[in-house]
Amino acid sequence: LIHFYKRVGKMGSQNGKPVLRDVDTKQLQSSSGLSEAEVKQRFENFIKDNPRGHITRSEFRKILCEVLGKKSDPNCHKSVEKIEPHVFRIYDTNKDDHIDFVEFMVVYHVLAEGTPTEVLQKLFRLFDVDDNGTIDKKEMQRLVKDLRCLLTISSDLDEESMSNTAFSEMDYNKDGSVSKDEFVKAVLEEQKVTKMLALNIIDLFLHE
Protein backbone atom coordinates (compact mmCIF):
# COMPACT_ATOMS: atom_id res chain seq x y z
CA LEU A 1 0.00 0.00 0.00
CA ILE A 2 2.84 2.40 0.77
CA HIS A 3 4.44 1.84 -2.62
CA PHE A 4 1.08 1.91 -4.37
CA TYR A 5 0.51 5.43 -3.01
CA LYS A 6 4.14 6.56 -3.13
CA ARG A 7 2.93 9.61 -5.12
CA VAL A 8 1.23 11.08 -2.66
CA GLY A 9 -7.63 15.98 11.18
CA LYS A 10 -10.03 17.25 8.58
CA MET A 11 -9.28 19.16 5.44
CA GLY A 12 -11.10 22.34 4.56
CA SER A 13 -12.83 23.28 1.33
CA GLN A 14 -13.20 26.40 -0.76
CA ASN A 15 -15.99 26.74 -3.30
CA GLY A 16 -16.55 23.01 -2.92
CA LYS A 17 -12.91 22.19 -3.74
CA PRO A 18 -10.75 20.48 -1.08
CA VAL A 19 -8.02 22.70 0.34
CA LEU A 20 -5.21 21.98 2.77
CA ARG A 21 -5.46 24.13 5.87
CA ASP A 22 -2.34 25.87 7.21
CA VAL A 23 -2.71 24.06 10.52
CA ASP A 24 -2.70 20.68 8.74
CA THR A 25 0.31 21.66 6.64
CA LYS A 26 2.26 22.60 9.77
CA GLN A 27 1.15 19.44 11.55
CA LEU A 28 2.39 17.24 8.71
CA GLN A 29 5.64 19.20 8.44
CA SER A 30 6.24 18.61 12.14
CA SER A 31 5.34 14.92 12.14
CA SER A 32 6.91 13.90 8.83
CA GLY A 33 9.90 16.19 8.44
CA LEU A 34 8.69 17.20 4.97
CA SER A 35 9.01 20.79 3.82
CA GLU A 36 5.93 22.95 3.22
CA ALA A 37 6.45 22.61 -0.53
CA GLU A 38 6.71 18.80 -0.26
CA VAL A 39 3.50 18.57 1.80
CA LYS A 40 1.63 20.72 -0.70
CA GLN A 41 2.94 18.67 -3.62
CA ARG A 42 1.77 15.44 -1.96
CA PHE A 43 -1.60 17.07 -1.38
CA GLU A 44 -1.89 18.04 -5.05
CA ASN A 45 -1.06 14.47 -6.06
CA PHE A 46 -3.62 13.11 -3.60
CA ILE A 47 -6.33 15.42 -4.92
CA LYS A 48 -5.46 14.50 -8.50
CA ASP A 49 -6.22 10.86 -7.68
CA ASN A 50 -9.08 11.71 -5.29
CA PRO A 51 -10.82 14.90 -6.52
CA ARG A 52 -13.34 14.87 -3.67
CA GLY A 53 -10.51 15.08 -1.17
CA HIS A 54 -10.92 11.65 0.38
CA ILE A 55 -10.86 7.91 -0.27
CA THR A 56 -14.14 6.05 0.22
CA ARG A 57 -14.44 2.45 1.34
CA SER A 58 -15.30 1.29 -2.18
CA GLU A 59 -12.30 3.14 -3.59
CA PHE A 60 -10.11 1.68 -0.86
CA ARG A 61 -11.27 -1.82 -1.78
CA LYS A 62 -10.14 -1.20 -5.36
CA ILE A 63 -6.72 -0.15 -4.08
CA LEU A 64 -6.46 -3.26 -1.93
CA CYS A 65 -7.59 -5.45 -4.79
CA GLU A 66 -4.90 -4.05 -7.03
CA VAL A 67 -2.27 -4.55 -4.35
CA LEU A 68 -3.42 -8.12 -3.77
CA GLY A 69 -3.65 -8.67 -7.51
CA LYS A 70 0.03 -7.96 -7.76
CA LYS A 71 0.49 -10.89 -5.42
CA SER A 72 -1.38 -13.06 -7.92
CA ASP A 73 -4.15 -13.68 -5.42
CA PRO A 74 -6.82 -15.69 -7.30
CA ASN A 75 -9.45 -14.77 -4.72
CA CYS A 76 -8.79 -11.06 -4.68
CA HIS A 77 -12.33 -9.78 -4.24
CA LYS A 78 -13.11 -12.28 -1.50
CA SER A 79 -9.90 -11.38 0.32
CA VAL A 80 -10.60 -7.66 0.06
CA GLU A 81 -14.09 -8.05 1.47
CA LYS A 82 -12.67 -9.66 4.60
CA ILE A 83 -9.60 -7.52 5.23
CA GLU A 84 -10.84 -4.09 4.14
CA PRO A 85 -12.57 -3.21 7.44
CA HIS A 86 -9.40 -4.03 9.40
CA VAL A 87 -6.97 -2.09 7.20
CA PHE A 88 -9.36 0.82 6.69
CA ARG A 89 -9.65 1.19 10.48
CA ILE A 90 -5.95 2.06 10.74
CA TYR A 91 -6.46 5.13 8.56
CA ASP A 92 -9.96 6.30 9.49
CA THR A 93 -9.20 7.74 12.92
CA ASN A 94 -12.28 10.00 13.04
CA LYS A 95 -14.56 7.12 11.98
CA ASP A 96 -16.35 9.01 9.20
CA ASP A 97 -15.94 6.17 6.66
CA HIS A 98 -13.49 8.24 4.58
CA ILE A 99 -9.72 8.59 4.49
CA ASP A 100 -8.70 12.21 4.00
CA PHE A 101 -5.25 13.48 3.09
CA VAL A 102 -4.15 14.15 6.65
CA GLU A 103 -5.25 10.71 7.86
CA PHE A 104 -3.53 9.09 4.90
CA MET A 105 -0.26 10.96 5.37
CA VAL A 106 -0.08 10.29 9.12
CA VAL A 107 -0.28 6.53 8.54
CA TYR A 108 1.98 6.71 5.49
CA HIS A 109 4.71 8.48 7.43
CA VAL A 110 4.53 6.17 10.45
CA LEU A 111 4.66 2.98 8.36
CA ALA A 112 7.34 4.29 5.99
CA GLU A 113 9.57 6.20 8.40
CA GLY A 114 8.51 5.35 11.95
CA THR A 115 10.40 3.35 14.54
CA PRO A 116 9.41 -0.31 15.05
CA THR A 117 7.45 0.71 18.15
CA GLU A 118 5.61 3.50 16.30
CA VAL A 119 4.70 1.14 13.45
CA LEU A 120 3.38 -1.51 15.83
CA GLN A 121 1.37 1.05 17.83
CA LYS A 122 -0.35 2.04 14.60
CA LEU A 123 -0.93 -1.58 13.54
CA PHE A 124 -2.57 -2.26 16.91
CA ARG A 125 -5.69 -0.52 15.56
CA LEU A 126 -6.03 -3.31 13.01
CA PHE A 127 -6.27 -5.90 15.80
CA ASP A 128 -8.50 -3.77 18.05
CA VAL A 129 -11.73 -4.39 16.14
CA ASP A 130 -14.08 -2.55 18.50
CA ASP A 131 -11.55 0.26 19.12
CA ASN A 132 -11.75 0.03 22.92
CA GLY A 133 -7.99 0.01 23.47
CA THR A 134 -7.58 -3.74 24.03
CA ILE A 135 -7.74 -6.98 22.04
CA ASP A 136 -9.92 -9.83 23.31
CA LYS A 137 -10.05 -13.46 22.17
CA LYS A 138 -13.03 -12.95 19.86
CA GLU A 139 -11.26 -10.11 18.07
CA MET A 140 -8.16 -12.25 17.63
CA GLN A 141 -10.22 -15.14 16.26
CA ARG A 142 -12.00 -12.88 13.77
CA LEU A 143 -8.76 -11.27 12.62
CA VAL A 144 -6.93 -14.56 12.09
CA LYS A 145 -9.92 -15.94 10.16
CA ASP A 146 -10.11 -12.85 7.92
CA LEU A 147 -6.35 -12.67 7.34
CA ARG A 148 -5.78 -16.40 6.86
CA CYS A 149 -5.93 -16.14 3.07
CA LEU A 150 -3.13 -13.55 3.12
CA LEU A 151 -0.64 -15.49 5.20
CA THR A 152 2.50 -15.90 3.13
CA ILE A 153 4.60 -17.25 5.97
CA SER A 154 3.81 -20.91 6.43
CA SER A 155 2.29 -22.23 9.62
CA ASP A 156 1.19 -25.71 10.64
CA LEU A 157 -1.45 -24.26 12.96
CA ASP A 158 -5.14 -24.15 12.10
CA GLU A 159 -7.11 -20.93 12.63
CA GLU A 160 -8.22 -21.75 16.17
CA SER A 161 -4.76 -22.83 17.31
CA MET A 162 -3.16 -19.81 15.65
CA SER A 163 -5.52 -17.31 17.30
CA ASN A 164 -5.25 -19.00 20.72
CA THR A 165 -1.45 -19.17 20.54
CA ALA A 166 -1.11 -15.56 19.39
CA PHE A 167 -3.43 -14.37 22.14
CA SER A 168 -1.56 -16.36 24.79
CA GLU A 169 1.76 -14.92 23.58
CA MET A 170 0.46 -11.35 23.78
CA ASP A 171 -1.49 -11.57 27.05
CA TYR A 172 1.52 -11.24 29.36
CA ASN A 173 -0.42 -10.56 32.56
CA LYS A 174 -3.06 -13.21 31.74
CA ASP A 175 -6.01 -10.91 32.41
CA GLY A 176 -7.96 -12.02 29.33
CA SER A 177 -7.19 -8.95 27.21
CA VAL A 178 -4.19 -7.57 25.32
CA SER A 179 -3.14 -3.95 25.71
CA LYS A 180 -1.26 -1.94 23.12
CA ASP A 181 1.94 -2.23 25.16
CA GLU A 182 1.56 -6.01 25.42
CA PHE A 183 1.00 -6.28 21.66
CA VAL A 184 4.10 -4.22 20.89
CA LYS A 185 6.18 -6.18 23.40
CA ALA A 186 5.11 -9.55 21.96
CA VAL A 187 6.16 -8.58 18.43
CA LEU A 188 9.43 -6.94 19.48
CA GLU A 189 10.32 -9.98 21.59
CA GLU A 190 9.63 -12.09 18.48
CA GLN A 191 6.96 -14.34 19.93
CA LYS A 192 6.52 -16.90 17.14
CA VAL A 193 2.87 -16.63 16.00
CA THR A 194 2.54 -12.96 16.95
CA LYS A 195 5.55 -12.10 14.83
CA MET A 196 4.23 -14.14 11.91
CA LEU A 197 0.91 -12.28 11.95
CA ALA A 198 2.60 -8.88 12.24
CA LEU A 199 5.01 -9.59 9.39
CA ASN A 200 2.18 -10.65 7.09
CA ILE A 201 0.24 -7.48 7.86
CA ILE A 202 3.30 -5.28 7.36
CA ASP A 203 3.96 -7.05 4.07
CA LEU A 204 0.55 -5.90 2.83
CA PHE A 205 1.57 -2.27 3.37
CA LEU A 206 5.10 -2.62 2.02
CA HIS A 207 4.32 -4.76 -1.01
CA GLU A 208 5.42 -3.22 -4.30
Side-chain angles (χ1 to χ4, degrees):
L1 283 174
I2 285 178
H3 294 287
F4 183 84
Y5 255 103
K6 194 72 173 181
R7 300 169 297 172
V8 295
K10 263 291 186 180
M11 295 186 303
S13 63
Q14 188 173 43
N15 297 324
K17 181 179 180 181
V19 295
L20 185 63
R21 303 181 304 178
D22 288 341
V23 64
D24 292 328
T25 301
K26 292 177 181 178
Q27 173 192 333
L28 290 172
Q29 283 182 257
S30 176
S31 63
S32 68
L34 296 172
S35 67
E36 180 179 352
E38 288 173 325
V39 171
K40 289 182 176 180
Q41 182 59 58
R42 300 260 179 125
F43 176 71
E44 289 179 9
N45 292 340
F46 183 89
I47 295 303
K48 183 179 179 181
D49 289 338
N50 307 281
R52 289 173 294 179
H54 58 248
I55 301 171
T56 65
R57 283 187 175 274
S58 61
E59 290 165 343
F60 192 67
R61 290 188 192 103
K62 291 179 181 178
I63 294 172
L64 284 175
C65 193
E66 183 166 342
V67 172
L68 292 174
K70 293 181 180 181
K71 285 185 168 184
S72 300
D73 187 339
N75 299 306
C76 178
H77 293 285
K78 184 177 181 180
S79 299
V80 166
E81 183 178 291
K82 291 182 177 181
I83 68 171
E84 177 268 319
H86 302 300
V87 182
F88 195 89
R89 187 166 55 249
I90 292 179
Y91 291 89
D92 186 23
T93 54
N94 65 2
K95 304 177 184 178
D96 66 351
D97 279 339
H98 297 92
I99 301 171
D100 65 31
F101 174 71
V102 174
E103 289 174 322
F104 177 81
M105 282 301 297
V106 167
V107 175
Y108 171 89
H109 174 69
V110 169
L111 297 181
E113 306 291 342
T115 65
T117 296
E118 290 172 334
V119 171
L120 293 172
Q121 287 175 338
K122 184 62 67 175
L123 290 183
F124 178 82
R125 283 181 58 83
L126 187 147
F127 286 80
D128 184 13
V129 177
D130 63 7
D131 198 28
N132 71 344
T134 61
I135 306 167
D136 60 32
K137 281 192 174 183
K138 287 185 177 180
E139 288 175 316
M140 184 65 70
Q141 290 167 353
R142 174 181 171 182
L143 189 72
V144 169
K145 180 179 180 180
D146 291 348
L147 292 179
R148 182 72 176 182
C149 58
L150 294 180
L151 298 182
T152 57
I153 302 174
S154 61
S155 172
D156 295 330
L157 300 176
D158 57 27
E159 288 179 7
E160 183 177 1
S161 298
M162 187 180 297
S163 63
N164 288 340
T165 301
F167 191 86
S168 178
E169 290 176 349
M170 295 181 196
D171 187 16
Y172 281 89
N173 63 6
K174 306 305 177 186
D175 66 349
S177 65
V178 176
S179 67
K180 183 184 294 184
D181 288 342
E182 287 178 313
F183 169 75
V184 172
K185 181 180 180 181
V187 180
L188 292 181
E189 291 187 351
E190 300 191 354
Q191 299 290 349
K192 186 176 179 181
V193 179
T194 300
K195 180 182 178 182
M196 179 196 66
L197 288 173
L199 288 177
N200 274 273
I201 293 167
I202 291 171
D203 182 60
L204 175 63
F205 287 94
L206 297 181
H207 190 75
E208 295 279 1

